[in-house]
Amino acid sequence: MVSAGVVRFAMGILGNVIALFLFLSPVPTFISICKKGSVQQYSPVPYLATFINCMLWVLYGLPFVHPNSILVVTVNGAGFFIEVVYLTLFVLHSEGKKKRLRLIVIAIVEVIIVAAVAGSVLGLTHTTKSRSQIIGMIAIISNIMMYAAPLSVMKLVITTKSVEYMPFSLSLASFANGITWTVYAIHPFDPYIAAPNGLGSLFGLAQLILYGTYYKSTKEQIAARKAKGETGLTEVVVTRDNKKASNVR
């Protein structure tokens, strides 16, 4: 019989693979940015949010904070470096010195915040249980704040009765990512990983239900636009950016 430890490790590996796909999902957006030499109307907010979120979860997974969580460190460590690349491209292709400087300052402030949290927690608490509780709660709050992106996309789908701006592959990956990390957190039970990813699973499921509900009407809208000779809207690329800030653990 397969042990709980083996299942947990397998789910962690699978979670790393799925999360990596989510982290890399904005690549087409940045290819477009590099080709045009401008960030256009894209917002750096999702990348700044994921940047600090990854740092917090790397901190949480360290052996002296929450032992036996190396797979949490690997996935969020990879996400951290990917976000550094995205933010660097944003700085290079942002128009105006003021915008570039503001982006750099915000990123530096985020690093300082995480460093301050790490220093305070490690200096004032002396057990892994206490450290994981404090950092885990902060990471959960960070995750919940990131759910604003998929909520806004879901609202858009309901309003327009179209899933054109909500790619099925990303919705499916978000659902699978949430389920995988929730199972990972079951034994031994880790509420700080289970809670945000359980919620993320529900959001992912809701997106899949919306996709099934409005898929037919989306096809009809696209066909009607083509018949009128209209071009498709560009928000589908923006959605890739917003989806990427959802729960990855």
Side-chain angles (χ1 to χ4, degrees):
M1 186 175 181
V2 180
S3 68
V6 172
V7 173
R8 176 182 171 87
F9 182 76
M11 289 297 101
I13 294 295
L14 180 59
N16 271 248
V17 174
I18 296 173
L20 186 61
F21 169 78
L22 289 172
F23 282 131
L24 293 174
S25 62
V27 166
T29 295
F30 283 93
I31 291 176
S32 173
I33 287 174
C34 291
K35 286 182 177 179
K36 295 182 179 180
S38 171
V39 296
Q40 304 160 74
Q41 298 301 314
Y42 295 113
S43 170
V45 173
Y47 310 101
L48 288 167
T50 307
F51 179 63
I52 189 170
N53 194 60
C54 286
M55 285 191 288
L56 287 169
W57 283 107
V58 167
L59 179 60
Y60 176 83
L62 294 176
F64 45 82
V65 175
H66 195 269
N68 304 315
S69 300
I70 187 62
L71 292 176
V72 175
V73 175
T74 56
V75 65
N76 287 286
F80 169 79
F81 286 110
I82 291 172
E83 297 309 313
V84 168
V85 173
Y86 292 158
L87 291 173
T88 299
L89 291 174
F90 245 98
V91 170
L92 292 175
H93 296 290
S94 290
E95 296 179 1
K97 183 178 179 180
K98 187 176 180 181
K99 288 184 178 180
R100 291 194 294 269
L101 182 60
R102 181 172 56 188
L103 184 56
I104 293 172
V105 169
I106 293 174
I108 292 174
V109 169
E110 289 186 342
V111 172
I112 293 173
I113 290 173
V114 175
V117 169
S120 300
V121 172
L122 296 179
L124 298 175
T125 59
H126 305 288
T127 65
T128 55
K129 181 178 180 180
S130 298
R131 291 171 177 174
S132 61
Q133 286 177 340
I134 296 172
I135 296 175
M137 285 302 301
I138 295 173
I140 285 178
I141 293 172
S142 175
N143 259 39
I144 291 175
M145 291 174 63
M146 289 179 64
Y147 288 141
L151 280 176
S152 64
V153 174
M154 291 165 66
K155 180 181 178 182
L156 180 64
V157 169
I158 295 172
T159 301
T160 61
K161 292 180 170 49
S162 171
V163 294
E164 186 176 0
Y165 319 130
M166 189 175 72
F168 176 77
S169 60
L170 291 180
S171 297
L172 181 61
S174 296
F175 174 67
N177 185 67
I179 289 291
T180 301
W181 285 106
T182 301
V183 174
Y184 171 88
I186 289 177
H187 187 79
F189 184 63
D190 187 336
Y192 305 107
I193 292 180
N197 285 287
L199 186 58
S201 300
L202 294 178
F203 276 109
L205 179 60
Q207 290 170 26
L208 293 175
I209 292 173
L210 286 176
Y211 198 92
T213 302
Y214 294 113
Y215 178 77
K216 185 176 180 180
S217 61
T218 302
K219 290 293 185 182
E220 292 172 350
Q221 290 181 35
I222 293 175
R225 281 210 309 269
K226 288 183 178 180
K228 293 179 181 179
E230 298 178 0
T231 58
L233 301 179
T234 61
E235 285 90 337
V236 63
V237 181
V238 177
T239 297
R240 290 178 178 267
D241 291 352
N242 292 336
K243 288 286 298 172
K244 166 227 165 279
S246 57
N247 146 52
V248 173
R249 239 16 349 86

